Amino acid sequence: MNSKELVGRILNDIYKNLDEYSKDLIRACNFDVQFKNFYIVDDKTGKKQYIKNLMDCENIASFEAQNRIYKFKKVSLKKMIDEIIIIHMSSRKSKDGYSFEVDSDYKVVEPTIFINYEHKERILMWNELTEEELDEKLADFDTKINTITEDVLKKIGCIDNNNFVVYMDVFMDLEIIKNITEKEGNMVMIWIHPLFIFSDDNVVKGIITYELSKYNKNILEMFYKDIMEYCKEYKKLCGKNLKILEKIKEIAIKRNDEKVIEAIKEMEFI
């Protein structure tokens, strides 16, 4: 069989046997389809022609290809953040012409973490920063933190910051949005996830007061509106509500804060 015709048949058979979700991703034309262990063999020379992506399929040279049995082994969606679908194949020589089969252990390898559009956009924004831009962003963030810290301290009645410090950890996994808080004696250390470098001041203030509220319940009462802003951003980036939303709802109902109550209803509905 001619190499171009063979590749066309294999692609058609792969697509027919794909799960519907993978088909949707491919039809959307946003994903790069890559292949592992997919090759055809020149029947005259025995040379393998590896096919690594769809571009290789289009540009393959014309020659008489060896008859082989191609097996569809699995689909990997692990690199969804990079918009890549990897199709794993295997093959062996055939005496009876071309044939295609699906491996008995065929599976779709789901991404470890689901990342929505907003989360992905933040990751792209972070990755596109040059070293100079990142240094500038971090300097601005430090200034923002100092201003927010002073405001929080003033409201909770402290003269100086001897109870908590806030850092941004630029080495955190971008795919897992999680802030980390550590307590040593009377000192609380808050490590903010790097993707929040793009957040508004009220969101960052909400993060800090949310983390502090774990150790001081009065802080939730004082800063519930700021913490609500963090909850809204967290929902946007992670697609789920923080548990503290229930306590904020209780405070809002007690204070007859209709704006916050309505915002919570919207978040619970979506």
Side-chain angles (χ1 to χ4, degrees):
M1 187 186 301
N2 180 270
S3 56
K4 292 181 178 291
E5 181 186 350
L6 175 60
V7 169
R9 287 189 64 178
I10 295 171
L11 290 180
N12 186 57
D13 284 332
I14 289 172
Y15 187 78
K16 284 193 299 185
N17 287 281
L18 276 172
D19 62 286
E20 290 304 316
Y21 181 55
S22 297
K23 285 181 180 179
D24 287 343
L25 294 177
I26 291 173
R27 282 194 291 260
C29 299
N30 294 327
F31 281 76
D32 180 23
V33 178
Q34 297 182 0
F35 301 98
K36 291 290 185 184
N37 204 32
F38 177 22
Y39 59 85
I40 60 177
V41 179
D42 189 315
D43 200 39
K44 292 182 178 178
T45 65
K47 184 179 179 181
K48 294 179 181 178
Q49 179 75 49
Y50 278 90
I51 297 170
K52 296 180 180 179
N53 50 47
L54 292 177
M55 189 69 72
D56 288 346
C57 295
E58 294 176 7
N59 297 330
I60 193 165
S62 178
F63 56 85
E64 190 62 25
Q66 182 185 87
N67 291 325
R68 298 183 70 81
I69 300 170
Y70 287 86
K71 182 176 286 189
F72 187 14
K73 303 201 75 170
K74 68 179 179 180
V75 176
S76 176
L77 304 177
K78 276 189 151 185
K79 292 192 174 183
M80 280 190 70
I81 184 60
D82 300 316
E83 298 188 333
I84 295 173
I85 297 173
I86 302 176
I87 293 173
H88 294 253
M89 303 286 293
S90 68
S91 64
R92 63 184 187 275
K93 192 172 181 179
S94 169
K95 297 179 180 178
D96 303 316
Y98 163 78
S99 66
F100 186 92
E101 59 188 44
V102 179
D103 192 277
S104 58
D105 293 325
Y106 169 82
K107 61 183 176 181
V108 178
V109 181
E110 300 287 349
T112 307
I113 304 164
F114 174 75
I115 298 177
N116 65 19
Y117 176 80
E118 286 79 9
H119 186 171
K120 184 168 68 175
E121 282 295 300
R122 287 281 177 100
I123 291 176
L124 292 174
M125 288 166 63
W126 176 270
N127 288 334
E128 287 171 359
L129 291 174
T130 64
E131 287 188 18
E132 292 78 10
E133 288 171 335
L134 179 57
D135 287 342
E136 185 178 340
K137 282 277 187 186
L138 290 171
D140 290 343
F141 194 80
D142 283 341
T143 302
K144 180 188 298 187
I145 289 299
N146 290 334
T147 303
I148 291 170
T149 299
E150 288 177 9
D151 184 52
V152 171
L153 288 168
K154 191 182 297 182
K155 287 187 178 179
I156 63 178
C158 293
I159 298 173
D160 54 36
N161 185 8
N162 59 359
N163 293 110
F164 70 95
V165 289
V166 183
Y167 306 100
M168 169 162 285
D169 187 348
V170 297
F171 300 107
M172 283 185 180
D173 187 342
L174 296 180
E175 296 185 11
I176 302 174
I177 298 180
K178 183 179 180 181
N179 303 304
I180 297 173
T181 300
E182 299 174 344
K183 193 171 188 296
E184 291 185 7
N186 294 324
M187 178 64 71
V188 176
M189 291 170 285
I190 301 169
W191 301 85
I192 295 181
H193 191 276
L195 294 187
F196 289 113
I197 201 170
F198 304 106
S199 298
D200 293 337
D201 292 15
N202 56 357
V203 173
V204 177
K205 187 176 181 181
I207 293 171
I208 294 170
T209 51
Y210 166 75
E211 296 296 333
L212 291 175
S213 71
K214 296 175 182 178
Y215 305 100
N216 186 339
K217 294 180 181 179
N218 292 329
I219 287 178
L220 176 58
E221 290 276 353
M222 286 188 278
F223 297 98
Y224 77 95
K225 289 184 180 180
D226 299 295
I227 296 172
M228 178 66 187
E229 293 302 312
Y230 167 50
C231 289
K232 288 194 285 188
E233 180 131 325
Y234 186 87
K235 177 65 176 284
K236 182 175 72 174
L237 293 173
C238 302
K240 56 186 178 181
N241 290 323
L242 289 165
K243 290 182 179 180
I244 203 168
L245 206 62
E246 283 299 318
K247 293 182 180 179
I248 293 174
K249 188 176 182 178
E250 291 174 7
I251 295 170
I253 291 172
K254 182 174 66 177
R255 298 188 180 187
N256 198 26
D257 191 331
E258 294 183 2
K259 186 176 180 180
V260 171
I261 293 170
E262 189 59 35
I264 292 173
K265 286 180 180 178
E266 289 179 12
M267 291 172 67
E268 290 174 336
F269 179 75
I270 297 173

